[in-house]
Structures are given as C-alpha cells and as structure tokens.
Amino acid sequence: MKKLIFFSLLLSCISLWAQETLVINGVVKDAQNNETLAGVNILFPELQTGTVTNDYGFYSIKVPAGTHRMEVSYLGYQSVSQRIDVQNDMKLNFQLSTAAQDLEEVVITDDSERLNIRKPEMSVNKLEIATIQKQPVVFGEVDIVKSLLLLPGVSNAGEGSSGFNVRGGAADQNLILLDEATIYNSSHLFGLFSVFNPDAIKNLKLYKGGIPANYGGRVSSVLDIYQKDGNSREFEANGGIGLISSRLLAQGPIEKEKSSFLIGGRSSYAHLFLKLTDNENSAYFYDFNTKLTFRLDQRNTILFSGYFGRDVFNLSDSFKNIYGNSVFNLRWNRVLKDNIFSNLSLIYSDYYYGLTLDFVGFNWNSGIKNFNFKYDLDHYLNRNLSLDYGIHSTWYEFNPGEIEPNSASSGIIPRELIKKYALESAVYLSVEHTISEKLSAEYGIRYSNFLRMGQEELNLYDESPVTYNQRFGIYQQADPVGVKTSEKNEVERSFGNFEPRLALAYTFAEDQSVKLSYNRMTQYVHLITNTSSPTPLDVWTPSGKYIEPQSLDQVAAGYYRNFANDEYSLEIEGYYKTLRDRLDYIDGANLIANDAIEQVILPGEARAYGAELLLKKNKGKFTGWLAYTLSKSEQRTPGRTPIEPGINNSEWYATAYDKTHDISLTATYEVSQKWDFSANFIYQTGLPTTYPTGQYVFENMTIPVYADRNSNRLPDYHRLDISATYTPKKRSEKAYSSSWNFGLYNVYARKNAVSINFRENDDTSVNEAVKLSLFGIVPSVTYNFKF
C-alpha cells in the first residue's frame, strides 16, 4: 500500500513537472511607435497565474499543455484577450493600442500607479510621464524630481535646493540611474530644474524600501529611470517653448521596424534677456539625450544611450562656474533561452565641476568618473518561481580638485589634490516566489566587495586623524607622522558585506493585502558636504583606511487596499531604519580643497522612522492623491572615549532634512477634451536650523553663542500651485497637435524662508533676524507641440 501511494505521488510529481515544461515568451510593444512596454500584465485567469514584462518589455511564463485564455493588459492601453492552444513552446509578441485612440468622448484616466495588491513589491512609487506633465511647477518646466516630492516619504531641503531626501536619508544616499548609468547631480541651476528631459523618459520607479538585490551602492533609495527606445515605425517630433527654457525631441526609424534613433535637447535662455539691459551676469543650462536601438533578430537587441548636460554661471566675466553629468551606456539584450533573458551593459559616467576666478587668476577642476560592467539575467523557472541574478563591477576615479593658473601673470602655483581610486564589485541572486494563492515573496542576497586602491600620498597618524583638545574642549586636526606612497593597482584596504533582502505579501481578500520587507544596504562612497542641500562644489570620496562604509538596516510594513473597482487605492506604511558610520563634521571643519578630509570627520550613527499614507483616486474626470508623512530623522556622534563629548554632547539631534509633518494634496480635473486643471497644495514642518542664543565681546569683537545643533526650526512651509492646460482638437490622427499650459506657482505669494540670518542693523546697532525667501508668486506659460 505504501509503495502504491509513493508511486502515485511520484507519477503526480512527474505529471506536474511535465506540465511546467511548455514556455510562452515574447515582447510587448506600443502599436503606434513600436516602443517596448515594461510592467505589462500577462495573465492566465483560469490557471490563476501570470507574470509581468521586464524593463525591456520581455516576458516568459510556463503553463501546462492545453487550451487556455490569455489576457494582456496595461493601464492606459486596450487589453488583449485570446484563447491559445499550447502544445509546444511558443513565442507570442503583442502590440497594444492606447485606449484613447478609439474612444472619442470617454476620457481614459487609468494609470499604472495603482497598487498591485498581490505582488510582494512594496515602498515603490511609479509615476507616469503623462501625470508628471500635468503638475504645476515653477517657471512651467515639467520636472520629474519636483513630482517625486509630492509622494509620501520624499522631500528636499527647500526651494532652490538640489537633490531630494527619502525617508530621512541624505541626498547622497540616493542611487539615481538613467538607463542604468549613475547620475551624481540630478539638478540644474542649483535645484530649480532636474536634469531629466520628460519628453525622453519612458518610465521610472522610486524604491524607498524593500529594495531588490540587483540594486546596491546606496543606503536610502533607488530612482531607476529609462529613456524611450525611439519610434521605429515613423518619424515624429515634439517639444515645448517656455518663458525661460525650451526643449525639442525627435525620433524615428533608421531601418523601419528594426532600428531607431532618439535625440533631444533642452536649454534655458533667460540670461539672453539680461544682455539687453547691459547686465553682464548670466546663468543657464543645456542638456542632450540620445538613444540608438538596433533589433538584430528576435533574440538580440543592441542599445546605445547617452546624456550630456552642463550648467554655466557667469558673474561679470570674473567668475565662471561650469558643472554637469555625462553618461553613456552600450547594452546587449539577448534571449538566451525561451525562459532566460540577459542584459550586458558597459557604462561610463562622469560628473565634472569647473570653476574659473579671473580676479584671482586660476582655474579649478574636480569630479568623479566611473566605468561600470553589468551582466544581469532574468530566469523564469516556472509560473510560481523566477530568478534574477548577475554580477556588477565599477571602477572609480575621484578627482578632489586641481588648481592651475589661467594666465602667465596670475602668480598661481599649480596644485593637484591627491586622486583616489577604488573598485566596487557585487554578485546577487533574487527570487520571486508565489508560495500559495495568498502568500508571495521576493527574497535574495547581494554580496558587495569594495577595494580602496593605492594613491600617491596617504597620511599616517599616531592614533587618529582627529584629536580632542581637553583643555579647550574642541576637536582638532591631528598632525601626520608620515606619508605612505603606493600605486593605484595596489589594494590599500578591502571591505566585504552581505546584504540580505526580503519582501512578503499576504492577500487576505481580492482587494486587500499586508506586506512586510527588510533590506540591508551598504554605501562605500560619500559626498563631502556639511550643508542641508548638496552643492556642485561638494566632492565625493571613497571609504578607505580612515573612512568606514555606511551600513543600513530597514524594516517596513504596510496595508494596501483598492476600493470601488480600483477607482480608489489606499497605502499605509510604517518604517524604521538605522544607519552606522554616517560621517559627521567637527566644528569649524574646512571641506573645500581639503587633501586630508579624514582630519575633520568623525563616524556617527543615524536613525529614521515614520508612517506614510497615500490615498489615490485613479479613475474619472477628477483624479489625484493625498500624501501624508509623519517622520523623525536623527543622528548622533558619540565621543570615542569617556572624556570626549562627541558632537552635540553625544546626544541625538535632528538631521538637516528632518520634517515632522509633510502633507501634499494633488488634484487634476479634466473638464473636457480641451481643458484640464491641476493644483498642488504642500504643507511641511520647517527645517531644522541653529540659532544664536547670546553673545559676548572679546577684544572688541562680538562673538555669538549658538544653541545645540539643529535645535531650532525655520517657519513652517506651505504653498499652493495651480495650472490649466488647453489642448485644441486635432484635425486628424497624424496632424500637428499642440497645447498651452498656464501656471501660477505659489498662488498666495507665501514668503517661505530658505534661511534666517542674524546681523547687527547698521542704523540702529541692534541685532536682528533677516529672512531669505526665493519666490513670491511666479506665473508661467508653455507652448507644447507634436508632429
């Protein structure tokens, strides 16, 4: 009897395994421009199974032999449903048409930002470019980063500040990828605009937690952005003309259906109007995007993408500042087998900062370069189990700065700060597993290794690069006792870390689930800045003999629900994360052109915790969302010995980007096919700052006495923005189309404080506080076109 039962079970297992051997794969594209679509749902409702396309539009799934109903759906597109007879491995490609093409009077407002209840993915936000383009922004320039600030858990250090902060993390702790290449500065004009041309962007994801194992190198978040591949069917162009900037993008086939190009550019030109007033100052930016795609056959695709951007500041031709990013990526997509997709990438990234001071007579250049090799594979084992695995390796070259005379008479002696080199490598394995009808998981492991290579000169110290002067109660720079010289191919120090990842989703109803995630991340490169918002002058430095890598642990839990046939969605998440070896700076630290940065930094720790709420209306003429974040972000630098006070007497203090309350209300109302209106309202707790509490006179000098670090706050921040878009009706499907966007930024002219400075009034000799505000009410008009 036992043998019979065992034999029956064995036959059942063999039968099930045989059923899992038939593979259906293919690529899903936009029917109009042949653009691949990421995140498309491939469903077999009768089998209660399915998958989604990857970042390159590829899918693969195993199903048992037989006749099954297959559904292909993507929000904003017409769904495809058909019955297929599966007797052998099959390749099925799909072309999806936009839902609005055949519906003249029904406005389609579905978007792919709705929550996926069953998927273990959490703490992830996806924004459609169409949604971003409707948001009112300063000067009318559509901005991806500004749109991210409307989401829970995302903020920045105020108006005119660069970068963004995620769940209490610093701006340098965000990994920003454009077609897999690292962007080191995401802002133009010190934060007024982002470097991303929205016309060139296909999709984006922001990972705030539960970060998959294929990402590493930063501890706070990942912003993953992909450019469009280019239209391989017909030529098209679109752009916009605004008050201070314009943009133009063109795309079309090189060989129809097989290859395509995309090229786009933006530039601001407000500085040209200054010349009409004999004003010699100027500030402007320009950038270029490009993409070449060659589909060699059904299994092989070659892609080349690039970005180049620069910001230029001139002050009366005596001061000139140029900075920006350059990135290039050569990729090879290959379907190795029907259920294995591979991507090989060779990437170059360069962030450059240049400064010319004619009144002093020198040029200053600094930056960071990296060369990156990536090989990633998506392996679809069966309908319940898929693997992602790969290897990454990045070579870094850090240029802290070099000074050279810009004329023979300047008298400046050339000087080059010591360049630094490093090699960061990683291997990873990630598993997406449907455990049961209600329980699914994504788990994996990443092992990262960082080699700090040799350099021309490395200071040596008796004990530590930073000493404590007990007599004066201050930290001071230690004097080197020697110098070590080594070649850049020698290993100065090696680090290795395991980074586990886990995400679980339990669906207890068709429209409700709870999720839990944990991730450990390690960051080996650091932005040297002691400001709340990074500036172009800040430099990056690697971990090494005196600087440990940052290491973070984050746990998050959430409740998710869709209402009224997905018309509404609710997401509530709580998180807690701790960070070790976060750099802090001694009082009076000089960070600019410092060749021994280890002499002014101390290792500390940080923690952040909070709750986030996102309530969205996804359908109808009226759409939008309410985002609320309640959070705390703190750091602490304790003394290294019992006699040392540390920073701030070893007490926890608020980080420069801590905001207790952050509320964003975003709404869009489509009145008709011609008119739609949008509005944003933002309220935030004021940023931490440090005010003086008193003063004393020493040798005829007035010396202020300051409170503990970040123990005060700026006034609360709030602002209302509105915009209206007018779209004339097209005469035919392929005709020239256009729209007008009218906006008002900061409608009620709130004077939000960027900073508050204290000074002595020249007339009354009384101390006074002076508030600095950047913007009052700012109108904008932008003309957009497409042909």
Side-chain angles (χ1 to χ4, degrees):
M1 184 66 179
K2 290 182 179 179
K3 289 183 178 180
L4 181 61
I5 294 174
F6 174 77
F7 186 66
S8 298
L9 289 173
L10 182 61
L11 286 177
S12 298
C13 291
I14 293 173
S15 176
L16 287 172
W17 178 259
Q19 288 179 333
E20 295 289 345
T21 59
L22 299 180
V23 179
I24 302 175
N25 73 3
V27 176
V28 183
K29 299 179 180 179
D30 185 303
Q32 183 177 3
N33 55 30
N34 220 28
E35 188 86 34
T36 58
L37 299 175
V40 178
N41 293 309
I42 311 295
L43 303 173
F44 288 83
E46 296 160 356
L47 299 176
Q48 294 186 340
T49 189
T51 187
V52 296
T53 58
N54 67 8
D55 290 328
Y56 302 95
F58 176 82
Y59 77 92
S60 178
I61 188 170
K62 291 188 175 183
V63 298
T67 302
H68 310 290
R69 183 162 60 91
M70 183 178 183
E71 293 183 356
V72 181
S73 63
Y74 192 53
L75 295 169
Y77 286 77
Q78 297 180 51
S79 298
V80 173
S81 179
Q82 65 185 57
R83 297 196 72 83
I84 57 173
D85 185 19
V86 184
Q87 300 300 331
N88 300 291
D89 292 344
M90 303 174 64
K91 179 175 289 293
L92 288 176
N93 296 328
F94 291 92
Q95 303 271 344
L96 300 185
S97 299
T98 56
Q101 287 180 353
D102 297 332
L103 302 176
E104 294 183 357
E105 297 184 0
V106 178
V107 179
I108 302 299
T109 57
D110 268 356
D111 56 51
S112 62
E113 299 152 36
R114 296 188 310 176
L115 298 170
N116 189 322
I117 295 294
R118 295 181 178 273
K119 196 173 176 64
E121 183 179 76
M122 70 174 296
S123 303
V124 177
N125 291 117
K126 307 170 188 177
L127 282 178
E128 292 292 317
I129 296 302
T131 302
I132 294 173
Q133 290 174 333
K134 293 179 180 179
Q135 304 306 313
V137 289
V138 64
F139 300 125
E141 181 70 22
V142 176
D143 195 307
I144 287 176
V145 172
K146 293 293 191 297
S147 297
L148 294 176
L149 300 178
L150 301 173
L151 299 172
V154 187
S155 63
N156 70 355
E159 290 176 323
S161 62
S162 61
F164 57 96
N165 308 101
V166 176
R167 290 185 169 177
D172 71 307
Q173 295 172 347
N174 303 314
L175 177 63
I176 303 174
L177 301 174
L178 179 63
D179 277 350
E180 301 180 324
T182 303
I183 299 293
Y184 286 96
N185 187 332
S186 62
S187 300
H188 281 310
L189 301 184
F190 295 101
L192 293 182
F193 308 99
S194 78
V195 300
F196 307 110
N197 183 345
D199 292 338
I201 303 305
K202 177 166 65 173
N203 56 56
L204 63 92
K205 282 185 180 181
L206 176 66
Y207 296 86
K208 300 180 295 186
I211 299 173
N214 59 304
Y215 297 107
R218 300 292 189 275
V219 295
S220 189
S221 74
V222 177
L223 177 58
D224 197 3
I225 301 175
Y226 281 88
Q227 296 187 116
K228 295 176 180 176
D229 296 336
N231 192 329
S232 63
R233 293 223 162 111
E234 59 184 8
F235 175 83
E236 64 175 281
N238 62 282
I241 302 172
L243 295 178
I244 66 171
S245 67
S246 291
R247 64 189 193 279
L248 177 65
L249 182 133
Q251 54 182 319
I254 300 174
E255 182 179 357
K256 198 167 184 179
E257 301 289 347
K258 292 185 177 180
S259 58
S260 62
F261 74 90
L262 178 146
I263 184 169
R266 295 188 304 168
S267 179
S268 63
Y269 39 71
H271 65 289
L272 299 178
F273 300 108
L274 295 177
K275 296 183 181 299
L276 300 177
T277 63
D278 295 327
N279 190 323
E280 298 180 357
N281 301 327
S282 65
Y284 62 94
F285 75 87
Y286 58 89
D287 55 31
F288 302 96
N289 298 77
T290 188
K291 187 87 165 276
L292 300 174
T293 304
F294 301 91
R295 298 178 179 89
L296 306 181
D297 52 41
Q298 288 191 345
R299 289 185 175 268
N300 296 276
T301 302
I302 300 295
L303 306 98
F304 173 81
S305 57
Y307 167 84
F308 179 85
R310 286 293 184 265
D311 283 71
V312 180
F313 291 86
N314 277 310
L315 294 179
S316 303
D317 292 328
S318 61
F319 171 94
K320 188 173 185 178
N321 180 203
I322 302 176
Y323 67 92
N325 301 275
S326 305
V327 299
F328 303 97
N329 185 6
L330 179 63
R331 283 174 287 169
W332 177 21
N333 292 170
R334 178 172 173 78
V335 181
L336 295 176
K337 294 183 178 180
D338 288 341
N339 64 333
I340 301 179
F341 178 92
S342 70
N343 177 59
L344 175 67
S345 299
L346 301 175
I347 306 166
Y348 170 77
S349 182
D350 178 14
Y351 175 67
Y352 167 80
Y353 178 83
L355 181 65
T356 297
L357 297 177
D358 284 336
F359 62 91
V360 179
F362 75 81
N363 296 327
W364 167 274
N365 298 293
S366 65
I368 176 174
K369 298 178 182 179
N370 67 257
F371 303 87
N372 191 0
F373 166 83
K374 296 176 62 179
Y375 189 52
D376 303 290
L377 297 103
D378 299 342
H379 192 165
Y380 305 87
L381 292 178
N382 56 54
R383 64 190 187 189
N384 294 322
L385 196 65
S386 63
L387 307 178
D388 293 335
Y389 48 90
I391 57 175
H392 298 169
S393 186
T394 303
W395 172 262
Y396 292 95
E397 180 181 312
F398 301 85
N399 176 16
E402 53 188 11
I403 299 174
E404 58 183 16
N406 60 8
S407 66
S409 59
S410 70
I412 296 295
I413 300 175
R415 181 192 173 196
E416 183 176 349
L417 300 183
I418 298 170
K419 290 185 176 180
K420 303 176 178 67
Y421 306 91
L423 177 65
E424 181 177 357
S425 303
V427 295
Y428 73 90
L429 170 65
S430 183
V431 182
E432 188 165 342
H433 188 183
T434 301
I435 300 172
S436 68
E437 184 180 346
K438 292 188 174 183
L439 182 64
S440 59
E442 184 175 352
Y443 47 88
I445 187 73
R446 180 185 183 92
Y447 177 76
S448 59
N449 175 256
F450 189 83
L451 303 178
R452 172 65 183 273
M453 313 306 290
Q455 60 189 57
E456 291 182 0
E457 294 181 0
L458 178 66
N459 289 338
L460 302 175
Y461 304 90
D462 268 339
E463 295 181 358
S464 169
V466 180
T467 63
Y468 179 66
N469 188 320
Q470 189 175 0
R471 178 184 177 187
F472 294 102
I474 59 174
Y475 286 98
Q476 296 178 325
Q477 303 177 32
D479 294 324
V481 297
V483 174
K484 179 182 178 181
T485 301
S486 56
E487 299 295 329
K488 68 178 181 180
N489 60 353
E490 298 179 33
V491 178
E492 179 64 38
R493 190 174 177 188
S494 175
F495 303 91
N497 287 280
F498 285 98
E499 304 175 30
R501 317 290 170 86
L502 173 66
L504 298 170
Y506 181 77
T507 306
F508 55 88
E510 283 298 319
D511 58 357
Q512 298 180 68
S513 69
V514 291
K515 299 183 183 182
L516 177 70
S517 71
Y518 164 77
N519 61 259
R520 171 170 289 179
M521 309 282 285
T522 305
Q523 181 169 333
Y524 298 101
V525 296
H526 315 265
L527 186 65
I528 302 303
T529 178
N530 55 4
T531 63
S532 58
S533 172
T535 69
L537 191 58
D538 301 329
V539 297
W540 292 81
T541 193
S543 299
K545 183 176 179 63
Y546 304 112
I547 301 177
E548 297 291 325
Q550 302 176 67
S551 181
L552 174 135
D553 291 284
Q554 178 178 205
V555 294
Y559 168 75
Y560 309 84
R561 183 172 183 178
N562 289 346
F563 301 88
N565 194 28
D566 295 338
E567 183 172 349
Y568 298 91
S569 58
L570 172 67
E571 174 183 352
I572 300 174
E573 286 191 21
Y575 65 90
Y576 184 89
K577 59 184 184 180
T578 58
L579 178 66
R580 295 170 294 282
D581 293 304
R582 175 63 178 164
L583 296 183
D584 207 346
Y585 305 93
I586 65 175
D587 292 332
N590 177 25
L591 306 182
I592 299 176
N594 190 337
D595 222 355
I597 199 68
E598 69 273 4
Q599 294 179 337
V600 295
I601 59 176
L602 291 172
E605 58 183 330
R607 65 187 181 191
Y609 47 91
E612 300 170 356
L613 179 145
L614 181 62
L615 177 63
K616 301 181 66 178
K617 186 175 187 300
N618 303 301
K619 297 180 180 180
K621 290 182 175 292
F622 178 79
T623 59
W625 66 84
L626 169 66
Y628 171 64
T629 306
L630 174 66
S631 63
K632 186 67 177 176
S633 175
E634 301 175 300
Q635 66 185 76
R636 182 172 77 105
T637 305
R640 298 167 297 178
T641 66
I643 64 171
E644 289 188 17
I647 303 298
N648 206 49
N649 294 316
S650 299
E651 298 292 334
W652 289 98
Y653 65 92
T655 62
Y657 30 83
D658 172 60
K659 295 181 181 179
T660 307
H661 302 283
D662 190 342
I663 302 172
S664 299
L665 181 61
T666 302
T668 298
Y669 182 64
E670 298 184 357
V671 178
S672 65
Q673 288 186 331
K674 291 185 177 182
W675 284 98
D676 64 69
F677 298 88
S678 296
N680 300 329
F681 176 75
I682 298 171
Y683 173 86
Q684 299 170 344
T685 302
L687 286 167
T689 188
T690 307
Y691 293 154
T693 58
Q695 65 183 33
Y696 62 91
V697 177
F698 177 75
E699 294 185 353
N700 295 323
M701 293 187 299
T702 301
I703 310 298
V705 177
Y706 283 89
D708 292 338
R709 284 195 186 184
N710 294 343
S711 58
N712 307 107
R713 287 188 180 272
L714 296 174
D716 290 352
Y717 181 102
H718 51 88
R719 190 187 78 235
L720 173 66
D721 311 325
I722 60 174
S723 69
T725 301
Y726 172 71
T727 307
K729 187 175 181 179
K730 293 195 298 183
R731 296 180 180 179
S732 66
E733 184 60 36
K734 294 185 178 180
Y736 177 92
S737 61
S738 63
S739 66
W740 288 89
N741 181 272
F742 309 93
L744 283 178
Y745 178 89
N746 195 9
V747 172
Y748 50 85
R750 163 77 174 179
K751 298 293 185 180
N752 289 297
V754 175
S755 65
I756 292 182
N757 298 311
F758 295 84
R759 68 184 185 189
E760 183 180 280
N761 188 289
D762 293 334
D763 297 326
T764 64
S765 298
V766 176
N767 291 338
E768 62 182 3
V770 180
K771 180 174 71 172
L772 172 64
S773 300
L774 287 184
F775 298 117
I777 185 170
V778 181
S780 65
V781 178
T782 303
Y783 176 72
N784 300 299
F785 58 87
K786 182 177 181 180
F787 58 88

